Amino acid sequence: MSRSHIRKALENAALVAFAVAAGPSQAQTPASAPTPAPATVASGAPCVLLFGQGRNFDPDQPAANRRWDEANGAFNLAAREPLVAAGLPVVNVVLPVSATDVPRNLQGLVAEVQRRGCTRVLETAVFADAAQGLLIARLRVYPVLGMLGPQAAGSVPRIGAVAYTQQKEFALDARVMDRVNPSRLGRVMAEEALGALRSQ
């Protein structure tokens, strides 16, 4: 068996355990295009766009793609809970791993930010780094520039540089991954990110 096949088998074995740990009731299968959930209104504050997507698309592995989508959907949806509990209005957008056109994804993200009036983006991602033998759960906070204050006619907001990163790493091994739960991770990591969101 080649090294690439061994790596793929390891990825899939870890992912199966990861998806099973999530539980079918907690997994949310994302749509093929951005599908925002209704925003939670909180005292007129500008919203947070909670944007999620995985990184491990493989056109030859539809079952693995589906499991990545379920894990990322569960992670993103759970990250919403502490934000809403803290009084932040939140809009969820989750793309499938098959949405690999990065410029188009960014264009859709900016359009949704502009339409909703969000001033922060909290990016959620669960993905495998096979080269390092890691499964990574990551949150990143980005400010949205050009949404507050006077705006020139025809101006478009833009996503600023990363203001906060939180990353948890796990061995890409089924024996370790059976203890990992994307929903629990999403809630815990989002609670830790609240300070960074409030400061933006």
Side-chain angles (χ1 to χ4, degrees):
M1 184 179 286
S2 70
R3 185 171 297 176
S4 63
H5 283 95
I6 293 170
R7 191 174 296 156
K8 183 70 69 179
L10 181 62
E11 262 184 50
N12 288 338
L15 180 56
V16 168
F18 187 63
V20 168
S25 65
Q26 296 172 331
Q28 174 190 7
T29 303
S32 58
T35 308
T40 302
V41 179
S43 66
C47 63
V48 175
L49 189 70
L50 193 54
F51 174 76
Q53 185 181 18
R55 302 281 186 276
N56 298 101
F57 176 63
D58 185 338
D60 299 323
Q61 298 287 334
N65 295 334
R66 185 169 57 252
R67 290 191 296 269
W68 281 121
D69 286 342
E70 289 170 353
N72 273 283
F75 185 62
N76 181 277
L77 195 61
R80 174 189 179 93
E81 296 174 18
L83 275 58
V84 171
L88 297 174
V90 181
V91 177
N92 291 72
V93 176
V94 182
L95 294 181
V97 293
S98 59
T100 57
D101 186 337
V102 175
R104 181 180 179 186
N105 294 349
L106 180 58
Q107 184 179 22
L109 175 62
V110 171
E112 193 61 28
V113 160
Q114 188 171 24
R115 186 170 78 87
R116 297 282 191 161
C118 297
T119 58
R120 293 143 295 174
V121 172
L122 177 58
E123 180 192 21
T124 67
V126 177
F127 59 98
D129 185 334
Q132 297 187 62
L134 295 174
L135 186 133
I136 296 170
R138 187 173 68 200
L139 296 183
R140 284 181 172 169
V141 174
Y142 301 82
V144 178
L145 308 177
M147 285 300 296
L148 299 177
Q151 299 179 25
S155 65
V156 177
R158 66 188 190 280
I159 309 301
V162 177
Y164 169 88
T165 299
Q166 181 189 165
Q167 183 165 300
K168 296 191 184 299
E169 300 175 350
F170 306 90
L172 195 58
D173 183 297
R175 290 172 298 179
V176 174
M177 292 316 306
D178 62 5
R179 300 196 302 269
V180 176
N181 182 307
S183 293
R184 184 172 60 245
L185 272 176
R187 283 190 293 273
V188 170
M189 293 176 69
E191 285 174 1
E192 295 176 13
L194 276 171
L197 282 168
R198 290 188 175 118
S199 67
Q200 293 301 309

